[in-house]
Amino acid sequence: MSAADLGSLRTLLGRLADRMARATAVERIAIAVGSTVLALALGSVIVAATGYDPATFVGALVYGAVGSASNVAFTLRQSTMLILTGVAVAVAFRAGVFNIGVQGQFVVGGFAATLAILWAAPLLPAGTLGGVLLMFLGSVAAVIAGGAYAALPGLMKAYADANEVITTIMLNFIASGVVFFLIDGYLRPPGTSAPNTEPFPDYVGLPSLVFDSATFSVLGLLVGLLTVVVVAVVLTRTRFGYDLVTSGHQQRAAAFSGVDPKRTVVATMTLSGMVAGLAGALFAVMILGYYSDPNSFPTFGFDAIAVSLLAANNPIGVIPAGLLFGGLDAGRQYIGFTLDIPPELVEGVVGLIVLFVATPELFRMAGRYTGLGGDRE
Amino acid sequence: MSLADYTARNRVGLGVAGLALLVGLLAAVGFDLPLARLVTVGYLERTLQAATPIALAAVGGLYAEKSGVFNIGLEGFMIFGALLAAALAWIVAGGGDVSQTALWLGLLGTLVVCALLGVLFAVLTVRLQADQIVAGLAVWFVGLGFGPFTAIVVWGGVSSPSIANIDDVAVPVAADWPLVGRLFFDASPLLWIAVAVVVLAWVVLYRTRFGYWVQAAGENPEALDTAGVDVNRVRFVTVVFSAVMAGFGGAVLSIGFGSGFTGTGVTMVDGRGWIAIVAYLFGNYNPVGAALASLLFGAMEMLQIQFQTIGVPVPGSLTGLFPYAAVLVVLTLVGYTRMPAAVGDPYETED
């Protein structure tokens, strides 16, 4: 075979690989959409079976998500948190490491941000400049704390062979417990009964700009999107990202090409935890304005697992997936306020979405039976 | 990992465990803790009760993983078990005072429904080759959502009202024996059932043909297939068994020793399904070992009450974290030493 033949063979193979990649991307989107539709349909069946009206349920879900300007603001607020935590999950899953501890890293990050802000507030000038400095300081503290808290299970996996799914879940429980203990015991202002810290100075916060909402700022959404871009660039354009993704796909090949798998695991978890920590800082600054009992927090870190899986662990895909789950969450809260259908149902539906996403074979089979593009594979 | 590595690591692990025990003892002496008052008969009784649901779920999970399916959804199945037992008993009794018959019927119904849920999960993981970790997590999420949802449908709130639990049975004469009498012969029949399950699970796993099939399905499915046994059928059975056992464990929580279902937060199961997974890892996939590890975690869980009674100044919100911290220590020291070779790989026959 001549050199020219080899060259054309290589382009042919390259084009084939591209086609395959695109095919699987389309397939993944189809699986994501199929899973969501199937889960919502099942949810509606359950609504009907328990004696409620499924049309009202779906209508309220949609209205709660996008029905009014304030509902959209709420959706975007939840989406922002889910995009950030979702990217945190995606980074780890990409490398074949299951970081179920994003919730704990998020709690610890937000707590570190709170400590930094409350500690430094008297030392810095009041006003916008002080606010910006404090938020920056808080974010740095959160990123460090979140990264360190995630490095722990990373080290345990790499050097003691401890299953990270279980260690990270245990660390979630421990994070919530210890942070609650510290706030309740040491940070609660004297004379108050609620386990809340002192509020941040009112110059710490993000201006709402577009939407008239006290707990959502487009700047927060921008932070989330920017993080997605940074993570996507790190994963696709850097040596570290390349090592990380190869270890996820082909551990032996990665080790063969000189990647230290143990160090990659620790670095992956740390990066993932840093993003989760940043999410915690944003939660404390943008949404709460103080810190509270983590057991009462929304479970962004768990829902983020669903977000990441729906996005096939692709950082960019986390954006639409985060928007969808943000909308579901806003719809859930709206249902809780207005209908007597238990909003917990929507959480179950999210679980079903994950279950279906985990079973691509289900859709391939459905495709084969219906004759709709099922002849791939 | 070679045998030498294994012993070397365990020697380190045992050394660290011994050191921790020594430090604990020194601290106890140093701070003048009343150790004798810490370990009481009541404490042992509570430890047994706390260990029972964990041990049941652990035995189930162990069978599934031995056969090659990592059922990481134990926590979710436990939530379903806890809810179903309380709800079915409540419905059978028609609300109000729940009779003993209703409680036993509720337990029976729970096992049946959990078997059906297990069949669904087995279809997904064994037949449709779903990602075991992700599907297991999904079971947890589904439980966290639909558990409290069903509670609202039945009782109008995420938790049930107070429900009676299954009565203790006292064996005449034996109940008067010192220590053992109070611990085992004036106890809940569920405790006896759990002990029987553990022993039977050991016998079946190591002394019957089916037990060898289970082990082979996890270690060398090709060989089992060649021998003419349907690997996926064996796995199907163990996955259903694990769902039933986890559901049983959940039922023990709500109507065995508890007084109904609590659906707030992460529900009353509160991580015990995850602890069950660690229990069988720590017990090295041996049912008896898993039960002993469950006792350890039960003892951790109940330390909180002991500390409060003897006035050790550790706040309850921290002692409540002991089991989780213990899991981390155990996993770090024990790790995944003897995981079955084919865990996580769906098996496809060649024909």
Side-chain angles (χ1 to χ4, degrees), chain A residues 43 46-47 50 52 93 98 100 152 156 159-163 165-178 180-181 295 302-303 305-306 309 340-345 347-352 354-362 365, chain B residues 1 9 70 72 75 121 123-125 127-131 133-142 144-146 148-149 152-153 158 265-266 270-271 274-275 277-278 281 315 317-318 321 323-325 327-329 331-337 339:
Chain A
I46 294 168
V47 166
T50 45
Y52 302 102
F93 278 31
F98 289 95
I100 317 298
L152 214 63
M156 289 165 77
Y159 296 100
D161 220 8
N163 186 307
V165 174
I166 296 158
T167 52
T168 50
I169 287 171
M170 294 299 119
L171 286 167
N172 286 337
F173 286 112
I174 291 173
S176 292
V178 171
F180 168 76
F181 165 72
N295 298 301
F302 294 131
D303 296 340
I305 297 167
L309 289 171
D340 62 347
I341 301 173
E344 280 77 6
L345 178 67
E347 280 159 38
V349 168
V350 169
L352 287 178
V354 178
L355 197 59
F356 294 138
V357 170
T359 324
E361 192 62 22
L362 187 69
M365 220 175 66
Chain B
M1 184 179 294
R9 161 173 287 165
F70 190 5
I72 208 160
E75 175 90 3
F121 188 64
V123 167
L124 292 180
T125 49
R127 292 266 183 273
L128 295 176
Q129 308 180 351
D131 184 305
I133 303 252
V134 179
L137 282 173
V139 171
W140 183 33
F141 293 151
V142 170
L144 279 177
F146 284 125
F149 168 78
I152 291 173
V153 172
V158 290
V266 285
D270 203 15
W274 301 106
I275 291 177
I277 294 174
V278 181
L281 293 181
S317 50
L318 284 189
L321 303 176
Y324 308 129
V327 165
L328 292 181
V329 175
L331 267 190
T332 313
L333 296 183
V334 179
Y336 249 146
T337 39
M339 196 176 182

Side-chain angles (χ1 to χ4, degrees), chain B residues 219-237:
Chain B
E219 292 293 351
N220 195 343
E222 289 80 11
L224 188 64
D225 196 15
T226 316
V229 177
D230 187 335
V231 174
N232 284 335
R233 199 169 290 172
V234 173
R235 289 182 174 179
F236 208 94
V237 172

